[in-house]
Amino acid sequence: MKSRAAPRLDRARSLPAEHLDRYPRVPILILILAPFLGHAASWLTGLSSNPIWTESGAVTGIGRSIIFALDFSDPNVGWTNQALGHLAAQDWLHFIIPWWNPYSGIGLPLAGEMQPAALFLPFVLLLSFQSGIIWLEISLQIFAGIATFALLRRLELGRLSALAGGLLFAFSGTFAWVPGETILNVMPFLPLLLHGIEDARDPAHQRRAIVLVGLGIGGSILAGFPETAYIDGVLALLWAVVRAFQVPDLRRFIGSITLGGVAGLLIASPQIIAFFDFSMASGVFATHQFGTDYINYRGFAVTVLPYVYGPLGMGAASPLLLDVSASTGGYVGLLLVLFGAAGFASRRDRPLVALLAVWIVLSLGKTFGFPPIMALVNAVPLMKNVVFSRYSSPSWELALIIPASFAIDDLRSNRVKPLIPLIVTLAILGLAIDLASPWAAAWHWHAAYRGVMVFWLVRALGFELIALGLVVIVWLVLRGECRRWCLAGLIVVNAMLLFIVPQLSGHQPGTLDRRGIDYLKSHLGLHRYYTLGPLDPNYSAYFRLPSLNHIYLPVAANWVHFVRHHLIDNPSFGNGDIFFAPFRPFSIGGAAHDIEHFQRDYRYLGVRYVLTGPDAALSPSMTYPAPHGRATALPLYPGQSVTVRGIAPPGLAAMPPISQIGVNQGNYDNTATGTMAMRLCSNGLCGIGSADLRRSHDNMPFTVPLAPAIPLQPGAAFTLEIDHISGTSPDAIWLYPASHSHLTTATAGTILHRSPEIAFSVRPDQALFRKVYTDKLMTIWRLAGAKPFYTTTGAACRIGAHSVNGAIIDCPAAATLIRRELFMAGWHATDNGAPVAIHVHHAVVQSIALHAGRNIVRFRFTPPYAGFAWLGFWLGALVLMWQMVGRWISPKGRHAQ
């Protein structure tokens, strides 16, 4: 019986041979080399997008960017992917399975957090290098490009169109904007999975289908981002449903996909078990509810006209624009819309093209909040737990790249009719221009910002119109293969140029503060530090320094409960995924108060040091306005100033005269220069102070001393003048809603009901905190009385040699050992080789019973049921290996190959 694939093969063979058919290895070579070319802008300009320079809080001397903006759209690329991924890579290189992270919080699961992609071998090993995050992105671009090329070849496209499609996916909007590094990890496995489904239609490729489906599903899960993997899986399921109506042997088709899917789940079972265990120990499924979230419909303009709203992270003092900038995961661009429209008009593979069109409509409808589509998509199980608007972009980008590749291939037979696609593209362009109009009342910005947005609109529109004009010229002037090659080259070059833009927001590399890090390494031991600024959370794991802070999701519920009731005095702690003072609802002044108020619990957890910026002080403070609402950035260039007028809050009643003043500011990834001066006045008295902005930290309060100190009574009117006196690079003041404040600037005029976050503070309590180290990045304060990592009760035991996972303890009588590490299912302990039970102490840490005499104690963490998970892994791996070997040893497999 003849397979359904045969007619497609016959049609492909009826077309004349392509030039690339004589050089079949050239497309693969291009797909390998092109990502290096795409990153050449960084290397040629000396700029780096390595997040360690901007997100670690451990670097000084960072150079300027060409464009002052973000070079990737999610700081978790640094805090989670790089910092925790580096720890996972180092564990593997030391032959340790990276189950546990002892350096964040009081210890938290590492593989169970998912986003570090701790089990994503061999790719995670690249993160052992300082620039590994860049090499990881390049390797994923290569992988994604080749996988897409192979999928398009399986769909019977010629080599040129398949090569163009592979390059378009490798330089897609998601790869350019990096809404999360682990999202990039998942991307190559979508075309791999779809390729496996296509193979399952062909009786000659059943074994390869099982292998590709297994690797596609297993790899997507091990890659570390379950939300993108799940969305991709829904698209793959719909793809398989469509193909099920086109196969002669439905049972064989379903069987191959099912076997491959089961094998994929089995090889990912260690990651699944680790994530499920950690999730059950947290409240993530109760709090991670995003079914009603969407991006304002004006954000649609960005998908067609990238950078129409400026570079990544542009806010322009508009909460609406900041929401759009912070939520969009990717784009396609105008040329891809044009070629995609031509592909949808093609007669090629109508059922598949219809599916891709429906998927794009569903994805964009859900992303931009079309109620009927939101209700339909949210009806899919677990979809309400997914941030669809941000993490679905790889799937709808690929859904447009495939028909665009069809259009390029159809040019071989002159079957493309350009008029209707061009009209559709121009209509979509007109809609995008209307949505992005800087004169729309919805933006609520001032004339100065409107001028900035006109600037970006003109440039984004001009770039795409030039590209569109070149396409039209090529279409009219050239013919045949020359036309097709030029059009394919234009759309790829267009994608690569758009990909380069965020690289121009990279930074000239700075210098790691090795002195401060080395001080902590030599003095910390097994104690912990607590940071109010320098050494951002999770980079403690990068440098192997135990820190009480964390940025984690999921996060253990018992640890969140302890933080909420024993470490902070803030009812707005939320789901507990961020425990870091510079992030709202926290404040540095409030954190200093918390340490003083809960000092017994901080000491109990072994906090020996507290880190602040070089000019900050651990002192009582009052933050105004109260934390609520979304912040917008007000750029303050050298020579510019802003004056704030407000009413002193009631909380100042118990404070002495204000001797320090600070504002929450952003210094564009630590590149601001010059001096910032502040003048606080109330009741005819004024205090003045200034400090060098090079000592500031991005998105943190910048504090200056005031002379003289100013008494500030609740209800009294005050003015605060903030002057950026000198320098060459701007700073930004974060503005928050404030009902009794307004501010005045020379550029934007008067802005009502907005205020910077102002920290009124006094000198620190020297009896509680002792300054032991300071440099231009950090000041380290010692908190007296921190408890050791191991202590005993019930007998005066002597603790000898010890490490985080073991100790030698001599006891004169039976006693209890307290180990200040998170109590969680999965921990195992032995005493002199015999298992002992681990109990919870003080609701959050561990304790075990000791006997009289010498106790050689060992601790080990393995997620519950990890043994069954490894059994499943090897079973799944054997299934896939058997299928691969079977392809080579069977005559049918050799013939198919």
Side-chain angles (χ1 to χ4, degrees), residues 36 124 175 180 237 254 421 439 468 594 660 703 738-739 776 794 852:
F36 292 95
V124 71
F175 270 115
L237 177 62
I254 294 175
W439 293 271
L468 187 61
D594 290 337
Q660 297 182 134
T703 303
S739 58
K776 60 183 178 181

Side-chain angles (χ1 to χ4, degrees), residues 21-89:
D21 290 338
R22 290 180 285 175
Y23 309 99
R25 293 182 177 86
V26 168
I28 302 300
L29 181 62
I30 292 173
L31 289 165
I32 292 172
L33 296 178
F36 292 95
L37 179 62
H39 287 265
S42 293
W43 300 324
L44 292 174
T45 58
L47 301 178
S48 173
S49 296
N50 188 340
I52 198 170
W53 308 127
T54 57
E55 307 304 330
S56 67
V59 176
T60 60
I62 301 171
R64 294 183 60 182
S65 305
I66 295 176
I67 300 175
F68 289 105
L70 303 178
D71 43 358
F72 44 82
S73 64
D74 189 348
N76 279 299
V77 173
W79 296 329
T80 304
N81 306 139
Q82 182 180 56
L84 299 182
H86 179 79
L87 175 62

Side-chain angles (χ1 to χ4, degrees), residues 67-71 73 176-177 298-299 301-303 305-316 321-322 324-326 328 330-331 436-438 443 445 449-461 498 501-502 504-505:
I67 300 175
F68 289 105
L70 303 178
D71 43 358
S73 64
W177 284 358
R298 293 186 180 275
V302 170
T303 65
L305 293 173
Y307 314 108
V308 68
Y309 295 135
L312 290 178
M314 189 77 170
L321 180 57
L322 187 64
V324 169
S325 298
T328 307
Y331 61 82
S437 171
W443 299 118
W445 50 38
Y449 294 113
R450 184 177 296 114
V452 172
M453 301 317 297
V454 169
F455 173 91
W456 284 105
L457 172 61
V458 169
R459 277 148 184 80
L461 181 60
L498 292 171
V501 173
L504 303 180
S505 297

Side-chain angles (χ1 to χ4, degrees), residues 411-426:
L411 288 170
R412 298 172 66 188
S413 54
N414 294 316
R415 291 187 299 183
V416 176
K417 306 298 182 184
L419 182 58
I420 293 179
L422 182 61
I423 292 172
V424 170
T425 302
L426 291 175

Side-chain angles (χ1 to χ4, degrees), residues 11 24 48 50 80 128 161 199 224 252 265 316 390 409 446 493 557 581 638 641 643 659 665 694 702 780 790 897:
R11 288 195 297 270
S48 173
N50 188 340
T80 304
S128 63
S161 50
D199 275 350
R252 185 193 294 270
L265 292 173
R390 187 169 179 83
D409 204 62
H446 295 273
V493 170
S641 65
T643 301
S659 57
Q665 52 78 50
R694 287 177 296 183
F702 180 65
I780 301 177
Y790 293 107
Q897 178 65 20

Side-chain angles (χ1 to χ4, degrees), residues 508-711:
Q508 295 172 353
T511 303
L512 283 173
D513 185 11
R514 292 290 183 186
R515 288 181 56 220
I517 293 169
D518 289 343
Y519 181 91
L520 289 171
K521 284 188 174 182
S522 60
H523 292 80
L524 200 58
L526 296 183
H527 286 88
R528 296 183 171 93
Y529 73 85
Y530 181 62
T531 181
L532 306 186
L535 286 185
D536 286 18
N538 297 348
Y539 274 97
S540 54
Y542 187 98
F543 298 111
R544 293 181 175 265
L545 295 168
S547 167
L548 198 67
N549 308 86
H550 70 256
I551 295 180
Y552 245 75
L553 189 69
V555 60
N558 58 339
W559 171 232
V560 172
H561 182 272
F562 189 89
V563 172
R564 182 177 286 117
H565 292 89
H566 297 275
L567 298 180
I568 62 173
D569 186 15
N570 195 319
S572 304
F573 186 43
N575 62 3
D577 56 332
I578 298 178
F579 181 35
F580 185 36
F583 274 77
R584 287 186 163 231
F586 305 109
S587 67
I588 289 179
H593 166 78
D594 290 337
I595 298 172
E596 185 174 0
H597 183 71
F598 296 106
Q599 57 185 275
R600 178 180 177 183
D601 292 294
Y602 280 89
R603 291 187 176 116
Y604 173 80
L605 294 178
V607 176
R608 172 177 281 183
Y609 295 113
V610 179
L611 276 56
T612 68
D615 295 318
L618 290 170
S619 55
S621 69
M622 174 68 195
T623 300
Y624 170 87
H628 72 280
R630 182 179 289 276
T632 56
L634 176 69
L636 204 62
Y637 287 84
Q640 294 183 342
S641 65
V642 59
T643 301
V644 184
R645 292 176 173 81
I647 302 298
L652 291 173
M655 288 187 64
I658 305 303
S659 57
Q660 297 182 134
I661 191 76
V663 293
N664 193 4
Q665 52 78 50
N667 58 20
Y668 295 99
D669 292 327
N670 302 310
T671 60
T673 58
T675 299
M676 180 174 284
M678 300 189 205
R679 176 187 175 96
L680 176 66
C681 298
S682 181
N683 292 325
L685 299 177
C686 294
I688 302 173
S690 63
D692 190 342
L693 276 169
R694 287 177 296 183
R695 301 174 71 88
S696 66
H697 294 274
D698 199 20
N699 300 321
M700 297 181 189
F702 180 65
T703 303
V704 302
L706 290 179
I710 302 299

